[in-house]
Amino acid sequence: MQTAEASITQKLTAEEILNDYRIGWESRQASLTGRKEVFMGKAKFGIFGDGKEVAQLAMAKFFLSGDFRAGYYRDQTFMFAIGELTLEQYFAQLYAHTDIEADPSTAGRAMNGHFGTRSLDEEGNWKNLMEIRNSSADISPTAGQMPRLVGLAYASKLYRQNPGLQHLTQFSNRGNEVAFGTIGNASTSEGMFFEAINAAGVLQVPMLVSVWDDGYGISVPAAYQTTKGSISEILAGFQRNSEDEQGYEIFRVKGWDYMALCETYEAAVRVCREQHVPVLVHVEEMTQPQGHSTSGSHERYKPAERLAWEADHDCLRKMREWILENGIATEEQLEKIEAEAKETVRKARGHAWGELLHSIKQDHTEALRLLDNLASASNEHATQLATIAKELRKIEPPIRSDAVKAVRKALRYVRTERSQAKRELIGWLEQTMGENADRYNSYLYSQSEESALLVEEVKAEFDDSSPTVDGREVLQACFDAMLARDPRVFALGEDVGYIGDVNQAFAGLQEKYGELRVTDTGIRECTIIGQGIGAALRGLRPIAEIQYLDYLLYAIQILSDDLATLQYRTKGGQKAPLIVRTRGHRLEGIWHSGSPIGMILSSIRGMHVLVPRNMTQAAGFYNTLLKSDDPALVIECLNGYRLKERIPNNIAEFTVPLGQPEILKQGTDITIVTYGSMCRIVMEAATQLEAFGISAEVLDVQTLLPFDTDHMITDSIRKTSRVLFADEDVPGGATAYMMQQVVDEQGAYRWLDAKPACLSAHAHRPPYGSDGDYFSKPSPEDVFEMVYEIMHEANPEDFPTIY
């Protein structure tokens, strides 16, 4: 455990120290004012960085252009200090202003304290990240920033050690960038924190983690959070004993000691940047003057002695004392700075609030004008319409939905009337709803020219010389071609490297391309995904493997809260085109045969979910994804690696479009919709049905997100008038999803002559062995009998009951 040398090489001038003091007080006043704004009803919720100012000012001094931050929601002072957040933007985010210029971090989509810089231009193309002090977009889940932090640091290792990447100068200067992470002391209790700390120690990457320790996690003191009450003490075993030993450098410093903090961060960042050694800075004795958030008061759970200690050890108070003791400024000078900070914040708050109201009141005023016109034009409902307008006028301050609610209610009354005033009001509503769709619903997926949905289809080409091989060899050829043509591509995961993954799709590729391109990891699914997210945020193209679909649950929180929401929560400001590769469906037993597709579909909207039936289709999807900037999950068929397929002649070029089902068999009596390993089951059943006079049309949906964008399934139902949805998920899972998409979304109910049916697995995971699989998941016999029963209902004479 280190103590920084007391000789800061960067000589601090009085001007710089007082500028830090000014930023610190502006940040404090922003916190104090922000809390008041919430209590006045101008914002829904507030969480602030008061008490953490001085440490963040010190850390900011050594954060350079090209560096990256992955932090948490108390880092406002740091963002002010590096020049990537203004006070106006701070308040705009508090007020949920949806204009990107007002809130470039989230465009009003995340609550306050969630910071991020814009890595992309308006067309979704990469900016020069070496010209930005970068902040990856924050998320609220505690310790959720840690997996991504590992990847941000790992990218520096790749940029430094892989010569093939050193031409990418807009992303890195030979890997000299540090990934700065911040976390509260209580959040270090999360498993993601420990997994990330271990992963970075193994990888030896330039990751600097600052633990802001104020002794509590909301109301729970450190004694209940952390063994020994100190994260640096229990991580002491990670401390390296010499520069030749792998491990961490660990520093401890007081959060109120300005000079010690500056010295500590200078030393910590130097070793991190130059030696690529991970560093932990445990910043102790911090305070939280306003408590955890606007949801409650810390006076309820902190004893009087603690509250008095916090008042005495407030970091800005201590910095003030130090400035006066060292003759850097006079009392009058500091009072002037404090007063100016308060006034600066007051003006910024007023400007931000005025800009928000101006943008809303334009719509509000126009809606009132049109409602008044409609009331004047209505013969039967003038009174009701006038009342609606009167109630709308009373609302102060208005929000966007107030006018929309009023207009929608008004249009109910005049549903049978015709007038120019009504048409104008409907036009206003349609335009406003469209504008609000952009404000609140856009950018769930890429809207750039590199969107996966815009990748042109290139058919797979075969001829008589195309070899027939195991399916794994098709993927092997595909991955070989990817690695050869694009130095940004690398693959990582458990057993991916030396043995070429458990199913041999990467066999021999580590030997050919080296460990940096095809690399093994520990058993740590959460940070495998985080490693991929962080690297993708820095311009690389990782393929992160989760060995089995069942193990995706270890990583589902990071996929859901971080990766899947990234483009949405930044409104197109950041992207991480990570490809997550896994395998699932049928094998053996409770933990190697899962198909939790319904859970996945509900959890990772914002990612594409691709479910190829064989390895050729999977290879085409990988080629498609590497031409796009969307993240995706590809679920390969676990029982398909040794089935025979032909390698396309254009293995490196052919692509499979997303959202396009494929008709595997034409039919006239019933449409069967399925995907993945179930395609073989259904095709076998379809052959059996043919022998009994039933013609089944079989469609492989191929991708679940997006799903059948051209409504091919409805076209099939229009022909057959019957439909069965079949898969291996639990009842009400992905079969219900597919039925909703087709019957409800596509409106296929209009063409049905029989109730739409679903065939799924049982509600439990399958037990071990072939019989366990047969009696738990759909079999060809199950498909046959369900289809036959549907046909029996329509024509009992030709299709009498079997048993």
Side-chain angles (χ1 to χ4, degrees):
M1 210 165 295
Q2 298 292 312
T3 301
E5 296 179 7
S7 57
I8 185 168
T9 56
Q10 178 188 3
K11 299 298 182 182
L12 294 174
T13 64
E15 181 182 13
E16 183 176 352
I17 293 167
L18 294 179
N19 187 56
D20 281 349
Y21 190 69
R22 176 188 60 79
I23 294 172
W25 266 105
E26 287 178 355
S27 182
R28 176 63 62 86
Q29 288 296 337
S31 295
L32 297 171
T33 303
R35 186 177 180 88
K36 292 176 183 177
E37 295 297 280
V38 174
F39 291 154
M40 290 174 65
K42 293 182 178 179
K44 295 281 285 186
F45 177 77
I47 195 161
F48 308 106
D50 46 307
K52 314 295 188 293
E53 293 92 352
V54 173
Q56 292 178 29
L57 290 166
M59 184 172 73
K61 292 181 182 301
F62 307 99
F63 187 88
L64 306 180
S65 295
D67 287 343
F68 259 90
R69 165 191 170 273
Y72 90 135
Y73 39 69
R74 299 197 190 279
D75 288 349
Q76 66 196 47
T77 308
F78 176 80
M79 296 300 293
F80 290 141
I82 65 171
E84 294 294 344
L85 178 71
T86 68
L87 286 163
E88 287 81 2
Q89 291 166 350
Y90 173 85
F91 283 108
Q93 188 178 74
L94 180 70
Y95 300 140
H97 195 162
T98 57
D99 187 278
I100 286 176
E101 296 298 321
D103 173 21
S105 293
T106 76
R109 295 181 175 191
M111 67 185 186
N112 82 300
H114 289 66
F115 308 115
T117 49
R118 301 195 73 76
S119 303
L120 309 177
D121 64 21
E122 293 180 356
E123 285 73 45
N125 301 313
W126 290 107
K127 295 179 180 178
N128 187 337
L129 302 188
M130 296 304 296
E131 297 175 350
I132 304 170
R133 288 183 169 94
N134 302 280
S135 175
S136 59
D138 290 340
I139 59 176
S140 283
T142 55
Q145 69 273 32
M146 293 298 297
R148 176 188 352 124
L149 178 64
V150 174
L152 291 168
Y154 184 65
S156 287
K157 178 176 181 175
L158 295 179
Y159 280 119
R160 175 171 288 187
Q161 297 186 13
N162 182 356
L165 298 175
Q166 291 181 3
H167 67 287
L168 299 171
T169 54
Q170 74 185 104
F171 296 108
S172 178
N173 175 22
R174 296 180 179 270
N176 290 328
E177 301 77 35
V178 171
F180 288 70
T182 62
I183 189 168
N185 58 290
S187 295
T188 64
S189 300
E190 293 277 11
M192 287 180 289
F193 172 81
F194 286 99
E195 186 175 318
I197 290 293
N198 183 59
V202 170
L203 293 168
Q204 289 293 280
V205 291
M207 181 178 97
L208 192 153
V209 180
S210 296
V211 179
W212 306 143
D213 190 346
D214 59 25
Y216 282 81
I218 307 183
S219 67
V220 181
Y224 291 87
Q225 304 276 3
T226 310
T227 304
K228 298 185 178 182
S230 170
I231 192 63
S232 56
E233 284 193 33
I234 64 172
L235 292 179
F238 284 79
Q239 173 69 53
R240 63 179 187 165
N241 297 310
S242 70
E243 290 191 7
D244 297 328
E245 183 182 31
Q246 286 197 341
Y248 271 73
E249 289 295 345
I250 300 177
F251 296 81
R252 294 174 70 169
V253 63
K254 306 301 183 187
W256 45 263
D257 190 333
Y258 175 75
M259 184 56 74
L261 284 160
C262 291
E263 292 166 350
T264 296
Y265 276 105
E266 182 185 41
V269 173
R270 182 190 299 117
V271 68
C272 198
R273 193 181 306 277
E274 294 176 1
Q275 300 179 36
H276 272 207
V277 171
V279 175
L280 178 83
V281 179
H282 184 190
V283 185
E284 303 174 291
E285 296 190 9
M286 286 187 142
T287 66
Q288 206 154 274
Q290 297 187 112
H292 176 263
S293 69
T294 53
S295 292
S297 169
H298 62 161
E299 285 85 1
R300 291 184 301 149
Y301 52 82
K302 288 180 182 175
E305 296 81 3
R306 172 70 191 192
L307 292 170
W309 180 91
E310 289 194 8
D312 289 340
H313 288 79
D314 183 292
C315 63
L316 290 177
R317 176 175 178 172
K318 285 288 189 181
M319 186 177 180
R320 192 180 204 278
E321 292 173 356
W322 176 82
I323 290 171
L324 292 172
E325 288 170 3
N326 287 275
I328 297 167
T330 64
E331 184 89 32
E332 291 74 18
Q333 287 175 303
L334 296 185
E335 288 176 355
K336 182 181 180 184
I337 290 172
E338 293 159 10
E340 288 174 348
K342 187 172 184 178
E343 178 62 15
T344 299
V345 169
R346 186 190 69 79
K347 289 180 178 178
R349 181 214 63 78
H351 182 263
W353 181 246
E355 288 294 303
L356 174 69
L357 286 187
H358 176 72
S359 68
I360 293 174
K361 284 194 172 181
Q362 288 178 315
D363 278 351
H364 190 78
T365 301
E366 181 65 5
L368 282 168
R369 185 184 72 81
L370 294 172
L371 283 170
D372 290 341
N373 289 349
L374 184 62
S376 299
S378 177
N379 295 323
E380 299 180 31
H381 302 290
T383 301
Q384 293 96 328
L385 297 172
T387 299
I388 290 172
K390 180 180 179 181
E391 292 300 314
L392 182 59
R393 279 190 171 88
K394 290 180 181 178
I395 299 173
E396 188 61 40
I399 59 177
R400 294 192 188 279
S401 57
D402 291 328
V404 172
K405 289 177 185 177
V407 168
R408 294 172 79 174
K409 289 177 181 178
L411 289 171
R412 297 172 189 171
Y413 287 102
V414 295
R415 61 192 183 278
T416 61
E417 297 182 16
R418 295 186 179 183
S419 67
Q420 178 64 23
K422 178 183 174 182
R423 287 191 293 272
E424 289 178 357
L425 192 60
I426 292 172
W428 177 92
L429 179 62
E430 291 174 344
Q431 178 179 333
T432 301
M433 293 295 280
E435 290 169 351
N436 285 324
D438 174 70
R439 291 183 179 112
Y440 301 107
N441 310 124
S442 59
Y443 285 95
L444 181 60
Y445 298 94
S446 171
Q447 295 182 202
S448 78
E449 292 182 356
E450 292 183 311
S451 165
L453 300 181
L454 300 179
V455 174
E456 184 177 352
E457 180 181 11
V458 177
K459 296 284 189 183
E461 297 174 358
F462 303 93
D463 58 28
D464 293 342
S465 65
S466 302
T468 299
V469 297
D470 289 346
R472 67 173 185 84
E473 295 179 73
V474 176
L475 286 177
Q476 183 188 34
C478 175
F479 293 143
D480 190 359
M482 285 181 185
L483 291 161
R485 72 174 179 263
D486 191 343
R488 300 174 303 161
V489 174
F490 68 96
L492 73 158
E494 300 158 17
D495 300 303
V496 166
Y498 186 73
I499 69 168
D501 92 38
V502 291
N503 296 103
Q504 298 291 283
F506 279 98
L509 297 184
Q510 184 184 82
E511 184 178 2
K512 184 173 182 179
Y513 295 99
E515 285 192 47
L516 291 176
R517 303 291 305 284
V518 184
T519 186
D520 288 313
T521 69
I523 300 176
R524 49 176 182 81
E525 287 80 8
C526 176
T527 48
I528 289 171
I529 296 301
Q531 208 169 324
I533 295 171
L537 277 164
R538 294 189 58 190
L540 298 176
R541 294 309 309 262
I543 302 171
E545 179 175 308
I546 301 298
Q547 197 164 86
Y548 296 107
L549 184 58
D550 303 81
Y551 302 160
L552 195 74
L553 274 70
Y554 283 101
I556 199 71
Q557 187 268 328
I558 291 300
L559 290 170
S560 179
D561 286 319
D562 197 348
L563 182 59
T565 67
L566 179 62
Q567 292 221 38
Y568 172 76
R569 73 177 187 270
T570 62
K571 201 180 183 186
Q574 293 184 5
K575 61 182 176 183
L578 171 63
I579 299 172
V580 181
R581 177 189 181 224
T582 189
R583 51 191 68 83
H585 313 310
R586 293 175 184 253
L587 186 63
E588 300 291 349
I590 293 172
W591 292 285
H592 290 83
S593 54
S595 286
I597 305 297
M599 176 198 73
I600 291 167
L601 293 172
S602 296
S603 300
I604 62 172
R605 301 295 173 100
M607 294 178 65
H608 296 307
V609 177
L610 317 184
V611 283
R613 67 182 180 276
N614 58 35
M615 303 312 154
T616 303
Q617 299 303 100
F621 282 139
Y622 288 122
N623 287 337
T624 298
L625 293 172
L626 279 176
K627 291 178 179 289
S628 84
D629 61 0
D630 279 307
L633 172 67
V634 182
I635 305 170
E636 298 165 11
C637 294
L638 189 48
N639 58 1
Y641 293 105
R642 299 199 180 278
L643 297 180
K644 299 300 181 183
E645 301 181 38
R646 290 198 297 164
I647 297 182
N649 298 341
N650 57 341
I651 186 66
E653 293 83 28
F654 88 101
T655 59
V656 177
L658 275 56
Q660 301 293 310
E662 183 176 346
I663 299 175
L664 303 184
K665 178 185 175 298
Q666 297 280 350
T668 57
D669 293 325
I670 188 169
T671 299
I672 306 178
V673 181
T674 193
Y675 60 87
S677 292
M678 276 296 292
C679 288
R680 291 192 290 275
I681 302 294
V682 170
M683 286 296 287
E684 182 179 340
T687 300
Q688 296 175 13
L689 287 163
E690 203 77 41
F692 285 80
I694 300 174
S695 175
E697 182 149 296
V698 180
L699 283 87
D700 173 12
V701 301
Q702 301 202 93
T703 70
L704 290 163
L705 293 174
F707 185 90
D708 189 12
T709 55
D710 294 334
H711 296 188
M712 289 177 61
I713 298 170
T714 293
D715 290 341
S716 176
I717 293 171
R718 192 179 285 115
K719 176 173 60 174
T720 65
S721 302
R722 303 174 186 88
V723 65
L724 171 65
F725 300 96
D727 88 331
E728 300 179 49
D729 199 358
V730 297
T735 50
Y737 163 78
M738 291 191 291
M739 185 164 68
Q740 181 271 330
Q741 288 285 298
V742 174
V743 176
D744 181 14
E745 186 75 17
Q746 297 184 11
Y749 66 89
R750 292 170 292 183
W751 312 104
L752 288 171
D753 291 337
K755 181 183 73 173
C758 292
L759 176 62
S760 64
H762 285 256
H764 56 77
R765 300 185 188 191
Y768 178 66
S770 297
D771 281 346
D773 178 272
Y774 183 85
F775 291 108
S776 300
K777 290 199 171 187
S779 66
E781 291 74 31
D782 294 327
V783 176
F784 181 100
E785 291 175 8
M786 183 164 278
V787 170
Y788 189 92
E789 179 62 27
I790 293 170
M791 299 304 297
H792 164 75
E793 182 181 8
N795 189 349
E797 291 185 5
D798 289 347
F799 303 105
T801 301
I802 299 174
Y803 58 84

